Amino acid sequence: MTSQGNESGTPLKRNWQMRVLGAIVVFNTIALAFLIGTKWRELTRPAPKALRSATAFEGTAKIPAEEISGAFNGATKVKDDANRNGNLWNSTAYVLDWIAFALSTAIAAIAAYSGEPAADNAGGAAAQLAQLRARARTKSWIVGIVAAAISASTAFGNQAHAESKAAYKRADDIVAAMDQTRMIIDNPAATQTEQRRALQKVIDLASRTGG
């Protein structure tokens, strides 16, 4: 009778453990959606804006307006695209970091489940140890897959962080070059060579691949 009660209790106990694992997965999913929603503004930043200058768009005696406007309009588009890419990479990195955390929690739960002794103590410690080893073997492939997913999420997350920083830096560099060029163009003492050199820097930054 006792043995029957233990045998009937084991499936119930495992059913309870699976419910706990399911609850962990659901909690992590809800928490991820909540955090993304509440932290979305922190994960994205508005595109940086360059200083305004009427002279820069009206042109000067040294550089025509069409040439200045064309360079600045093209640089503005590239700057906005780079900032948008930075926001996308930053959000992706955040999601991947949370996925890695959630999977780490899942591994801990699987390990706890695999190491839980059976309800029936018949056979003594040797039987318990053999049962734990058998259960660990059946769960090892799951742990291996989850561990590989954690490594992949961490690696891609680190890459996403790096891509985000690079994209933000490119946008900031373009804005800095545009501001410097505007000041040089607004300076009556600046030579045509100096103005064109500054304008060319903006063009070069905007035409650079990447970001």
Side-chain angles (χ1 to χ4, degrees):
M1 180 68 66
T2 302
S3 176
Q4 183 179 358
N6 288 336
E7 291 176 0
S8 62
T10 300
L12 292 176
K13 188 171 185 178
R14 291 185 177 179
N15 188 35
W16 177 84
Q17 289 170 331
M18 293 306 297
R19 288 180 181 179
V20 171
L21 292 176
I24 291 174
V25 173
V26 171
F27 170 79
N28 281 315
T29 302
I30 295 175
L32 176 60
F34 175 77
L35 289 174
I36 290 177
T38 56
K39 292 179 67 66
W40 186 254
R41 290 185 179 180
E42 299 178 20
L43 297 176
T44 60
R45 73 167 197 177
K49 297 184 180 298
L51 299 174
R52 301 298 300 175
S53 172
T55 308
F57 291 106
E58 292 175 0
T60 67
K62 303 167 184 175
I63 302 180
E66 295 78 9
E67 187 175 348
I68 298 174
S69 297
F72 273 70
N73 290 338
T76 299
K77 182 180 184 304
V78 174
K79 177 260 298 180
D80 291 342
D81 289 343
N83 190 79
R84 191 178 303 111
N85 289 338
N87 289 336
L88 177 61
W89 282 116
N90 193 40
S91 302
T92 301
Y94 183 81
V95 172
L96 290 172
D97 288 345
W98 187 260
I99 290 175
F101 169 76
L103 292 175
S104 299
T105 304
I107 278 191
I110 293 172
Y113 173 74
S114 298
E116 182 69 23
D120 188 1
N121 290 325
Q128 288 284 325
L129 181 59
Q131 189 174 30
L132 289 176
R133 286 176 176 172
R135 188 184 297 178
R137 283 194 297 271
T138 60
K139 300 294 186 298
S140 61
W141 68 273
I142 300 177
V143 174
I145 292 176
V146 175
I150 292 174
S151 298
S153 296
T154 301
F156 285 122
N158 291 338
Q159 182 63 30
H161 280 297
E163 293 289 345
S164 175
K165 291 180 180 179
Y168 284 148
K169 184 178 184 303
R170 185 183 187 190
D172 293 339
D173 288 345
I174 292 175
V175 169
M178 292 171 69
D179 290 342
Q180 183 181 16
T181 300
R182 278 193 166 101
M183 289 188 292
I184 293 175
I185 290 177
D186 286 343
N187 183 8
T191 65
Q192 184 182 39
T193 300
E194 291 173 337
Q195 291 183 353
R196 286 196 175 278
R197 185 185 299 116
L199 191 63
Q200 187 61 44
K201 182 178 180 181
V202 173
I203 296 173
D204 291 342
L205 283 173
S207 61
R208 190 188 70 194
T209 57

